[in-house]
Amino acid sequence: MPRTFVHLHAWRLRGLIRATAWAAVCMLSAGAPASRAELGTQTARPQVLVLMSYHPGHSWEDRILAGLNEWGGKGVAKPVFHTEWMDTKRYPGMEQRQHMARYLTDKYAHQRFDLIATVDDNALEFVARQSALFDGTPVVFSGINGDPAQIVGERPKVTGILERFDLTRTLRIALSLHPGTRRLIFITPQDETGTELRNSVDTTLALLPPGPQAEHWIAPDLSRIGERLQHQHRDTLIFVLGSIPALAGQPPLEPEEVTAFVHERTQLPVYSDLDTSVGHGSVGGYMNSGLETGRLQASMAQQILAGRAPSQIPYVRETPLALLFDYQELQRLGVNTRHLPEGSTLLNEPVSIFDSEYRRPLIGFSLVMALLLASAAILVIRSRVLAERQRALHYQATHDDLTGLPNRHGLPPLLLQGDRNAASDQEHVALVMLGLNRFKLINDTYGHAFGDAIVAAMAERLRHWRTEREALVRFGGDSFVIVSHFRGEPALEHLRTRCEALFSQPFIINGQRIPVTAAFGMSSAPLSALDPERLLREAETAMYEAKRNRSTQVVAFDCRIHVRTTRQFQIEASLPDAIANGEIEVYFQPIMDTVRDCIAGFEALARWQHPELGAIPPPEFIRAATESGHIGALTQCVLRKACAAFLPHLSSPAQPYLAVNVSVSDIYSGEFPMQLARTLASLDMPANRLVLEVTEDMLLGDEQLAAQTLAQLRSQGVRIAIDDFGTGYSSMSYLSHYQVHIIKIDRSFVRNLATSAQDQKIVRAIISMAADLDLSVITEGVETQEQSALLRSMGCVLQQGYVFSRPQPARQWAGVTGLPATAE
């Protein structure tokens, strides 16, 4: 296969190409379809803020901006780019960043951006810190030298391209082009970038076989480089990496300027890492390409603007490369271009294919032939290309990229594939929607690539599972739809049984056994009376009912599910106003000290009297708050009301405490400790009189974040209690790891305590373990005097339950130190 080269400075060939292209365009335009203006009103173009770290004229950033501006995507209209330069290379101080923040705030006060594209570290760091200005806007970055996580922190909707240079391939090419090389000199700046470059060089050299001797020249400036270069032997290669000032105290030169500086002072081969240095003295090789980086950044931006979440687009860890060589440098050094790698691009090569005497007639003849061939070929293949494009677009619109299955747009035809001539009581359609359980936890734990592998494995299992009368659809995310045409109730029951057996075997992903379960929702209807939208809506409703009940059986849609779903929606819709308007009331239930015969504390419980639905059970509206994202506001509302109602008890001689339940969202929000501190300070509530109750399953997600949050709360003086102990994943390790203060034994162990020897053993074991760990123990659900006496004999002093008092409005407990008369 002959080697191919791109000759960029052949201006006469470029003229030929332009002329041919213009002629082809003219011929195509004669048979072109309706103009763009006739296609109808276009949707509004996206608005994109492009934030550059440095200044116009900085070659690396200019090349990235050029790649961005090419856009090149056909799926998303080219956006309106608003380009701003931070100029931090010349003005690195914080004052410049503050000025930039004010400038952007004033300029874009009424502008909403669909995307922010940042170039280099300073721009990304600026966006990450300006949460008020850019909060919630997706970000795609490029040119990041370090770990982007250290810059963006917990900010969501961020992806992009890291700036990494792999010296290995360029070094191998250089050694093959200069076989007599015995010495390598690496010139790098005396700053943090230089340190990273030297570390990268040393790592690369360590991975290569023993070869020439390597030497680092650490240059604070270039003032003495020229003199040192004059004394180097001709078997030496020079590598120039990074930006270095010409003189001390001056701004650093651009990398291509440093390369040109070195090249002017030596006859030795000079290599660098940026494509802009080729043509300024660098021989070439695999070079970091700003233009290709900008093109790739534009491609990632197109995906986000098309609706793909940034979290689904992994970081690009290696900078896009260009394989470039300077023809004039190769000629000067006596290197034959046949020794270059396949696909190399040559710069500065003169046109020498034809003699000037024959070139013009040959070009004219070629142009005529090209036009004739183009006119014949275009008319023949144009219709085929358009038809193939339409087929490809239709397939892309109706199929999922990851699994190859039809997507939700391809679902309606699958529902209608049965025999519509069959009797209505014979031919039916069942639609089963399944959604993987705890799929977000899998993504958060193993990464989105691992989650995609599970989805792909699930699709493959479904392909082998289905029968000829069944079709599959990837509905979105972790949801699949099974369409089954059946006749008779036994066939439907058989489908249900097969669905429930789908996950009997775990998945093997990258050598790991991953047990996965799913929630199934089913709806069916006669084919002759099929309503696809209703069938899909009912199956999806039934699936979410299965998810809420944590059921692995197929849940068939019925009217009761619809009523519950409607009620759930009404509760979720009313909850924000109920929180804001103070409709959520706080009740106190006492925790009794059975030895001192006094109230040791109160547990705050939320109650809601809905104006239309009446009293709503706490588990129901708490679940609604969790699923609708209002659980944080609900916790803050209950916490503030409970603390305010508890203030009269601060002076009680019994020194009771207040216990408030917190959710898993509060523990993992990161802001909860600060919010709690502000609430306590505003009410003059002592932190040491507050106990926060968490459930065991809250501590099984992000252990590091949970431990950090609980440590912050303990440092404020707040105590931590484990609620419903024994019903989750009880473990001695997390009791010590999270340093809790109180264990609340679940009511399920107390209910049959008087008659169950097994429950008595469990309670005794928990009390003994807590004593060894210096933890307090509270038993919940104490309903009889016999239970209370038995618990007290076991050493459990603190008790809570209906035998002492039911929950009552917090105001009724003001000034009460013992039990009210109604509790006796």
Side-chain angles (χ1 to χ4, degrees):
M1 181 177 179
R3 300 184 183 275
T4 57
F5 300 95
V6 180
H7 311 292
L8 300 182
H9 284 280
W11 62 271
R12 293 185 179 180
L13 285 181
R14 286 205 302 267
L16 172 60
I17 293 172
R18 291 194 186 97
T20 305
W22 175 252
V25 169
C26 291
M27 296 185 66
L28 284 171
S29 63
S35 66
R36 183 181 298 270
E38 297 170 348
L39 295 178
T41 304
Q42 300 291 322
T43 57
R45 293 170 62 189
Q47 303 293 313
V48 174
L49 173 64
V50 182
L51 192 59
M52 318 294 288
S53 292
Y54 304 138
H55 51 271
H58 188 276
S59 59
W60 169 253
E61 294 201 343
D62 283 348
R63 299 271 290 174
I64 293 178
L65 185 59
L68 268 171
N69 280 314
E70 285 185 7
W71 198 241
K74 298 180 180 179
V76 177
K78 184 175 182 179
V80 177
F81 287 116
H82 303 267
T83 305
E84 303 291 348
W85 303 79
M86 293 180 63
D87 207 7
T88 58
K89 186 174 285 291
R90 295 185 294 187
Y91 303 98
M94 288 302 300
E95 183 179 352
Q96 172 70 1
R97 288 167 171 78
Q98 295 170 357
H99 171 75
M100 193 69 185
R102 292 192 297 270
Y103 165 73
L104 294 177
T105 300
D106 294 339
K107 182 174 181 179
Y108 299 109
H110 304 291
Q111 175 69 56
R112 177 189 175 277
F113 293 109
D114 301 288
L115 179 73
I116 301 174
T118 69
V119 179
D120 290 316
D121 299 60
N122 292 342
L124 179 60
E125 181 182 9
F126 178 84
V127 170
R129 292 187 175 181
Q130 297 296 325
S131 58
L133 188 57
F134 303 115
D135 184 33
T137 306
V139 177
V140 56
F141 62 77
S142 64
I144 301 303
N145 292 293
D147 181 4
Q150 296 181 358
I151 299 177
V152 301
E154 298 297 326
R155 191 188 197 282
K157 301 182 182 180
V158 179
T159 188
I161 309 163
L162 279 65
E163 184 177 341
R164 300 283 190 274
F165 176 58
D166 183 7
L167 180 65
T168 307
R169 287 185 287 181
T170 297
L171 183 56
R172 285 175 175 167
I173 291 174
L175 294 176
S176 67
L177 297 181
H178 312 283
T181 300
R182 296 187 177 181
R183 190 158 174 255
L184 303 173
I185 295 177
F186 297 92
I187 302 176
T188 54
Q190 189 182 21
D191 55 17
E192 293 181 1
T193 300
T195 301
E196 293 179 3
L197 290 169
R198 289 188 290 276
N199 291 337
S200 177
V201 169
D202 293 339
T203 301
T204 299
L205 294 174
L207 297 175
L208 295 176
Q213 179 183 359
E215 178 181 343
H216 286 295
W217 287 9
I218 303 175
D221 57 66
L222 299 174
S223 57
R224 298 185 181 181
I225 292 294
E227 181 180 348
R228 295 182 67 184
L229 288 172
Q230 295 176 4
H231 302 291
Q232 304 307 312
H233 196 268
R234 60 184 179 181
D235 61 1
T236 302
L237 297 183
I238 307 295
F239 285 81
V240 180
L241 307 173
S243 300
I244 304 173
L247 296 173
Q250 293 185 355
L253 299 177
E254 300 301 333
E256 64 271 18
E257 295 175 327
V258 179
T259 302
F261 181 95
V262 173
H263 179 261
E264 291 174 0
R265 289 159 176 78
T266 183
Q267 294 298 312
L268 298 173
V270 178
Y271 287 82
S272 185
D273 58 343
L274 293 182
D275 58 349
T276 53
S277 64
V278 181
H280 292 80
S282 175
V283 177
Y286 286 95
M287 319 294 286
N288 281 3
S289 174
L291 183 63
E292 293 300 327
T293 297
R295 290 168 175 169
L296 179 56
Q297 190 174 9
S299 175
M300 299 171 80
Q302 292 165 25
Q303 297 181 53
I304 295 173
L305 293 176
R308 189 175 183 186
S311 59
Q312 296 179 345
I313 306 175
Y315 292 156
V316 177
R317 299 286 177 178
E318 300 293 341
T319 305
L321 303 177
L323 184 56
L324 299 176
F325 290 93
D326 189 333
Y327 177 84
Q328 294 182 359
E329 279 298 294
L330 295 175
Q331 293 297 304
R332 181 180 72 83
L333 298 169
V335 177
N336 194 321
T337 57
R338 289 180 297 178
H339 297 158
L340 299 181
E342 185 71 30
S344 299
T345 298
L346 284 176
L347 302 183
N348 299 327
E349 182 181 20
V351 177
S352 58
I353 299 177
F354 308 111
D355 292 333
S356 59
E357 180 180 357
Y358 303 106
R359 186 179 303 138
R360 186 167 297 175
L362 183 58
I363 290 175
F365 176 76
S366 300
L367 178 60
V368 172
M369 291 301 298
L371 291 174
L372 290 175
L373 291 174
S375 61
I378 288 173
L379 295 176
V380 172
I381 67 175
R382 180 171 177 269
S383 60
R384 296 183 181 179
V385 171
L386 291 176
E388 183 63 29
R389 182 180 300 171
Q390 289 297 324
R391 284 193 294 270
L393 290 175
H394 181 266
Y395 182 88
Q396 183 179 6
T398 58
H399 284 74
D400 174 55
D401 291 338
L402 177 62
T403 63
L405 296 175
N407 59 23
R408 66 173 63 193
H409 301 294
L411 177 60
L414 298 177
L415 293 169
L416 305 175
Q417 285 181 354
D419 184 5
R420 279 190 170 269
N421 295 323
S424 60
D425 60 344
Q426 293 181 352
E427 187 73 8
H428 284 66
V429 178
L431 191 150
V432 180
M433 178 174 285
L434 68 94
L436 301 180
N437 292 325
R438 299 169 68 96
F439 188 69
K440 182 179 185 300
L441 178 61
I442 293 176
N443 274 334
D444 294 343
T445 304
Y446 298 101
H448 289 277
F450 194 91
D452 287 346
I454 289 182
V455 171
M458 183 64 214
E460 189 63 24
R461 179 174 293 188
L462 284 169
R463 285 192 182 94
H464 290 89
W465 171 90
R466 69 178 174 181
T467 65
E468 293 181 354
R469 291 178 61 80
E470 293 165 351
L472 303 174
V473 170
R474 186 191 179 193
F475 195 70
D478 61 316
S479 299
F480 292 85
V481 167
I482 303 167
V483 179
S484 177
H485 294 265
F486 70 96
R487 296 182 181 181
E489 186 63 28
L492 184 63
E493 185 62 29
H494 181 58
L495 172 63
R496 180 184 289 111
T497 303
R498 291 172 54 231
C499 288
E500 293 172 356
L502 253 175
F503 296 92
S504 58
Q505 296 296 324
F507 289 92
I508 308 298
I509 307 296
N510 299 336
Q512 299 186 59
R513 291 172 60 88
I514 305 297
V516 177
T517 61
F520 295 87
M522 174 187 287
S523 181
S524 62
L527 181 62
S528 59
L530 183 65
D531 182 350
E533 291 187 4
R534 181 185 63 82
L535 199 67
L536 178 62
R537 183 174 62 252
E538 291 178 353
E540 188 172 17
T541 300
M543 182 196 71
Y544 283 115
E545 178 73 9
K547 277 185 176 289
R548 278 192 290 269
N549 296 331
R550 300 184 178 180
S551 173
T552 58
Q553 297 180 334
V554 177
V555 174
F557 179 84
D558 59 26
C559 294
R560 291 173 296 176
I561 293 178
H562 176 70
V563 170
R564 285 195 296 270
T565 303
T566 303
R567 175 182 170 88
Q568 179 81 0
F569 179 80
Q570 188 174 0
I571 291 173
E572 290 181 5
S574 304
L575 187 58
D577 289 339
I579 295 173
N581 298 333
E583 296 177 17
I584 307 297
E585 295 187 46
V586 173
Y587 279 48
F588 281 176
Q589 185 178 28
I591 300 165
M592 294 301 300
D593 186 328
T594 58
V595 173
R596 294 190 298 159
D597 194 23
C598 65
I599 296 176
F602 294 98
E603 180 178 2
L605 303 170
R607 296 292 185 267
W608 181 16
Q609 185 73 23
H610 192 280
E612 298 176 9
L613 302 177
I616 301 176
E620 192 173 2
F621 69 77
I622 289 174
R623 183 176 67 182
T626 302
E627 294 181 358
S628 62
H630 296 105
I631 187 65
L634 178 61
T635 299
Q636 293 299 320
C637 171
V638 173
L639 183 63
R640 175 170 287 277
K641 282 191 170 185
C643 289
F646 184 75
L647 293 180
H649 299 279
L650 293 177
S651 58
S652 172
Q655 293 291 295
Y657 66 84
L658 172 66
V660 180
N661 291 278
V662 294
S663 71
V664 64
S665 301
D666 299 318
I667 293 297
Y668 291 135
S669 69
E671 300 178 356
F672 181 70
M674 185 180 300
Q675 293 173 342
L676 176 63
R678 287 198 296 264
T679 299
L680 296 180
S682 65
L683 296 172
D684 289 331
M685 170 73 177
N688 61 0
R689 299 287 290 275
L690 179 65
V691 173
L692 296 180
E693 296 188 4
V694 300
T695 55
E696 293 172 288
D697 57 353
M698 292 185 192
L699 309 177
L700 299 177
D702 189 335
E703 294 186 4
Q704 182 178 359
L705 179 57
Q708 180 181 353
T709 303
L710 294 180
Q712 288 180 285
L713 295 171
R714 288 196 306 272
S715 67
Q716 297 175 15
V718 176
R719 288 178 290 168
I720 308 299
I722 300 296
D723 197 13
D724 302 333
F725 184 81
T727 61
Y729 302 88
S730 303
S731 171
M732 292 284 288
S733 61
Y734 77 67
L735 289 178
S736 59
H737 179 61
Y738 295 111
Q739 300 181 24
V740 300
H741 303 89
I742 301 171
I743 294 175
K744 297 191 72 175
I745 301 176
D746 186 67
R747 66 185 65 245
S748 61
F749 298 108
V750 180
R751 185 177 301 115
N752 301 316
L753 186 66
T755 59
S756 172
Q758 185 68 21
D759 286 350
Q760 292 179 19
K761 292 178 181 179
I762 293 174
V763 172
R764 282 195 180 95
I766 295 175
I767 294 172
S768 176
M769 174 192 66
D772 292 339
L773 295 175
D774 292 330
L775 301 178
S776 299
V777 176
I778 301 172
T779 49
E780 301 178 290
V782 183
E783 297 184 355
T784 68
Q785 292 293 344
E786 184 181 5
Q787 293 172 347
S788 176
L790 186 55
L791 287 168
R792 191 163 57 249
S793 69
M794 293 179 182
C796 185
V797 175
L798 301 178
Q799 301 175 18
Q800 178 182 356
Y802 288 172
V803 69
F804 304 111
S805 175
R806 291 178 177 270
Q808 299 182 29
R811 61 181 178 274
Q812 295 186 16
W813 292 98
V816 177
T817 58
L819 292 178
T822 57
E824 297 299 331

